[in-house]
Structures are given as C-alpha cells and as structure tokens.
C-alpha cells in the first residue's frame, strides 16, 4: 500500500503569511490534516511532519522524510503578495523534476482550479523541501491568504478542497476514491434505519474534533463508535 509524507508549512514561532489575523500555518495544518484523514480512509499510510502548531525547521522536515521511504512528499502552503493584488493556486515541483512529481502536481492543480481558484499553473522552484527530499515532491500554494476572494473560496469550499485533493492524490497512487456511504441498519419495528458516516479517524482527538463540529451543526445524536 502507498505511503505518503504530508508537510504543513510553517508553525509555532513561524506563522508564515498573515492577513487580518489569519495565519498560513493554521490554515494549512487544519486543511492538511483533514486531507490526511480522508486519504487514510482508503488504507494509505500518511506520516506528517507536524500535527500541532509546532515550530519545525526546514532541515527537520526534510530529515523526517529522509528517514523513511515514501511514494510522495506533499507540502501544503498558502501564498501572499500584496493585499488584494494577487489570487489563485499554483503547484510547484523541483527543478527538472521527474514525471511522477509533475503528474501529481498537474492533478492537484487541475482539481483546485475546477473549484473556482484562478489557475497560476504548475511551476518549478528550488525550495528546500522539494530539493532535499528523496520522494517525488510537490508544494501546493492553496490561494493567497492576503486576498479576500481566495479566503472566501478556501473557507466556503473547504470540504470540497479536502475531497478533490484526496481524489487527486489517490488517483496518483492508483487508488479509486470511495464516497462515504450511509450504512443500512437492521429493521426496527418494520422500519429500516440508515446511519450517516461522516468519517473514520485513526487519531481519537481528530474524531473528537469532528464530532464537536457535527454537534455544533445541530446533529445532537451524533456519537463516536470504535472498530
């Protein structure tokens, strides 16, 4: 089965790009962990360079990846330029990278553009995490944090972003995406009940966080079941 390394940019003492009290490090941590859980739901192993708002140096990130063998290394970021002057998504590979990283970058770029982000293209860059990692590597800039339109897309289409990124990554490792399904339960007094599944999580804290979101949306009978 495929094994991936996810890298969430910045963190801790380094918030990354900021705008109107919004921090890149928080945006990519929240989104990236959700993508990781969705990919794990399909049996893929995902290791993460950080899982909290912690400071992780560039060398620590590449060293983390180099300690194991991964099919792909994917670094999550958000862009910035001048307030409200630039927008869109772009995906990077290393200079003259191989076919695998270019293919994954194009899948990711196409999937995000389809959600309404401006297409800034697949590009090459001499970034540390692309240069110093062993696996085919890509770095995603998911919209400009200093652009209101991109932030609105990032927030309003968060679940769709998670889904299309998971689908693109899974397709690259030749795994078909499976939609979460409602599982039929035994009949109760002549009536069939259908229980809605919103996710499966390997970490209890992620399950607790999702349960809190579901209950805050008004579904008070939601609960966690371990398997």
């Amino acid at each position: 089965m495929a094994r991936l390394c996810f890298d969430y940019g910045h963190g801790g003492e380094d918030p990354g790009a900021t705008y109107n009290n919004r921090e890149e490090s928080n945006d990519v941590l929240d989104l990236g962990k959700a993508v990781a859980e969705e990919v794990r739901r399909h049996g893929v192993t995902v290791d993460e360079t950080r899982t909290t708002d912690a400071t992780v140096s560039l060398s620590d990130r590449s060293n983390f990846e180099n300690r194991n063998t991964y099919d792909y290394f994917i670094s999550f970021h958000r862009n910035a330029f001048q307030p409200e002057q630039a927008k869109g998504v772009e995906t990077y590979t290393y200079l003259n990278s191989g076919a695998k990283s270019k293919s994954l970058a194009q899948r990711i770029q196409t999937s995000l553009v389809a959600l309404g982000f401006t297409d800034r293209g697949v590009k090459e860059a001499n970034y540390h995490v692309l240069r110093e990692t062993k696996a085919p590597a890509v770095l995603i800039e998911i919209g400009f944090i200093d652009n209101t339109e991109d932030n609105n897309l990032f927030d309003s289409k968060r679940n769709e972003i998670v889904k299309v990124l998971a689908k693109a990554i899974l397709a690259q490792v030749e795994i078909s995406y499976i939609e979460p399904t409602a599982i039929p339960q035994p009949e109760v007094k002549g009536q069939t009940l259908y229980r809605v599944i919103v996710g499966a999580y390997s970490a209890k804290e992620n399950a607790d966080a999702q349960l809190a979101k579901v209950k805050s949306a008004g579904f008070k009978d939601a609960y966690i079941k371990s398997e």
Side-chain angles (χ1 to χ4, degrees), residues 163-180:
K163 179 177 178 179
V164 299
L165 287 176
K167 290 181 72 173
I169 294 165
L170 289 168
Q172 186 66 24
V173 295
E174 300 182 339
I175 296 175
S176 298
Y177 179 82
I178 301 173
E179 296 282 353

Side-chain angles (χ1 to χ4, degrees), residues 60-226:
D60 283 343
R61 295 170 193 270
S62 56
N63 288 340
F64 179 94
E65 191 273 346
N66 288 328
R67 284 195 290 269
N68 292 291
T69 299
Y70 294 102
D71 292 281
Y72 291 93
F73 173 90
I74 303 169
S75 189
F76 294 75
H77 288 260
R78 297 206 63 203
N79 225 330
F81 180 56
Q82 295 178 358
E84 310 299 342
Q85 297 300 305
K87 63 181 180 179
V89 295
E90 52 194 26
T91 309
Y92 287 88
T93 67
Y94 183 53
L95 310 176
N96 300 313
S97 62
K100 287 186 175 181
S101 56
K102 289 180 179 177
S103 176
L104 175 58
Q106 191 58 64
R107 287 182 189 274
I108 288 172
Q109 183 71 15
T110 300
S111 70
L112 292 172
V113 170
L115 294 181
F117 286 102
T118 296
D119 187 0
R120 296 176 63 88
V122 173
K123 304 178 179 180
E124 295 181 351
N126 188 25
Y127 295 143
H128 177 97
V129 294
L130 299 178
R131 182 183 66 248
E132 301 298 330
T133 46
K134 297 185 300 182
V138 301
L139 184 149
I140 321 166
E141 294 279 9
I142 311 170
F144 281 71
I145 201 169
D146 55 1
N147 182 278
T148 301
E149 182 179 338
D150 275 3
N151 285 336
N152 288 340
L153 277 172
F154 189 92
D155 294 337
S156 66
K157 295 195 174 183
R158 178 188 180 278
N159 292 341
E160 293 169 79
I161 293 171
V162 170
K163 179 177 178 179
V164 299
L165 287 176
K167 290 181 72 173
I169 294 165
L170 289 168
Q172 186 66 24
V173 295
E174 300 182 339
I175 296 175
S176 298
Y177 179 82
I178 301 173
E179 296 282 353
T181 57
I183 301 176
Q185 301 296 313
E187 288 191 4
V188 178
K189 295 182 179 180
Q191 181 180 16
T192 300
L193 301 179
Y194 294 86
R195 201 168 301 280
V196 178
I197 308 300
V198 296
Y201 304 89
S202 58
K204 179 63 161 53
E205 59 268 25
N206 293 338
D208 290 337
Q210 183 68 0
L211 179 63
K213 291 179 182 178
V214 171
K215 287 189 173 183
S216 68
F219 300 94
K220 303 303 182 183
D221 58 345
Y223 63 93
I224 293 174
K225 179 181 178 182
S226 62

